[in-house]
Amino acid sequence: MKNRLEEIRKARGIKQEEMAEALQVSRQTISSLENGRYNPSIILAFKIARYFGLSIEEIFIYEGEGK
Amino acid sequence: MKNRLEEIRKARGIKQEEMAEALQVSRQTISSLENGRYNPSIILAFKIARYFGLSIEEIFIYEGEGK
DNA sequence: CCTCAACGTCAAGGTTGCTTTACATCACAA
DNA sequence: TTGTGATGTAAAGCAACCTTGACGTTGAGG
């Protein structure tokens, strides 16, 4: 799974820490997601989508194979 | 998180077991999702969406509060 | 140079998603 | 009744997600 988190966040001039606070997760979680260390839970994916005003599919890209 | 899994699956005349096999998960996982025992991983949510030809948002409903 | 903000990352621990195995229920057909 | 297909559910174990706490790196400004 790829995602456009860093791209979208930076385009809006938001810091990881602000975003983390708004989503009620730790800054490390945002960093981990941006750097592909793991995938978000579906709950967090929904929160992120809502936060950016986008759909999950616009942010997270599932290619089919792999993780 | 609520979902329309059972509704959609039954509307298409599919068995839990067929669906599980197609998605490469266990039958218990499908049952657990339908009965709200836990939420799917985002990977599984994508697989389900693709399987039904729907978006994640059309299948899984995130109300905001709760789990 | 020094410092501070922003970010990367590691370790240890708790919770959740998913597995296998097993058993129970319920409706329907023979 | 007997049995079989479809489903619910429980326990135990492993992997993934997320936390707190800590420390390292990098770049911009003074």
Side-chain angles (χ1 to χ4, degrees):
Chain A
M1 266 248 339
K2 295 192 179 302
N3 70 68
R4 306 202 300 125
L5 248 37
E6 183 169 14
E7 171 194 347
I8 297 170
R9 180 180 60 79
K10 288 193 169 171
R12 304 190 181 194
I14 300 169
K15 295 168 201 163
Q16 287 186 344
E17 191 144 18
E18 297 179 58
M19 181 169 165
E21 195 170 352
L23 299 173
Q24 309 193 85
V25 294
S26 67
R27 178 182 65 81
Q28 287 84 338
T29 294
I30 303 300
S31 177
S32 293
L33 296 179
E34 289 191 349
N35 290 288
R37 227 176 327 280
Y38 48 71
N39 299 126
S41 66
I42 192 170
I43 293 291
L44 182 50
F46 266 111
K47 285 186 186 172
I48 291 171
R50 173 175 299 187
Y51 177 68
F52 284 139
L54 298 172
S55 70
I56 289 181
E57 287 85 352
E58 288 173 309
I59 304 173
F60 300 95
I61 293 94
Y62 177 62
E63 312 91 344
E65 280 313 306
K67 283 67 201 301
Chain B
M1 266 249 336
K2 293 191 180 301
N3 71 69
R4 307 200 302 125
L5 248 36
E6 183 170 13
E7 172 194 347
I8 297 170
R9 179 180 61 80
K10 287 192 172 172
R12 304 191 181 193
I14 299 169
K15 296 169 199 162
Q16 287 185 345
E17 191 145 18
E18 298 179 58
M19 182 171 164
E21 195 170 352
L23 299 173
Q24 309 194 85
V25 295
S26 68
R27 178 182 66 81
Q28 287 81 342
T29 293
I30 303 301
S31 177
S32 294
L33 296 178
E34 289 190 348
N35 291 288
R37 229 177 326 281
Y38 49 71
N39 298 126
S41 66
I42 192 171
I43 293 291
L44 182 50
F46 266 110
K47 285 185 186 174
I48 291 171
R50 173 174 298 186
Y51 178 68
F52 285 138
L54 298 171
S55 71
I56 289 180
E57 286 86 352
E58 288 173 309
I59 304 173
F60 300 95
I61 293 94
Y62 176 62
E63 314 91 344
E65 280 311 306
K67 283 63 201 304

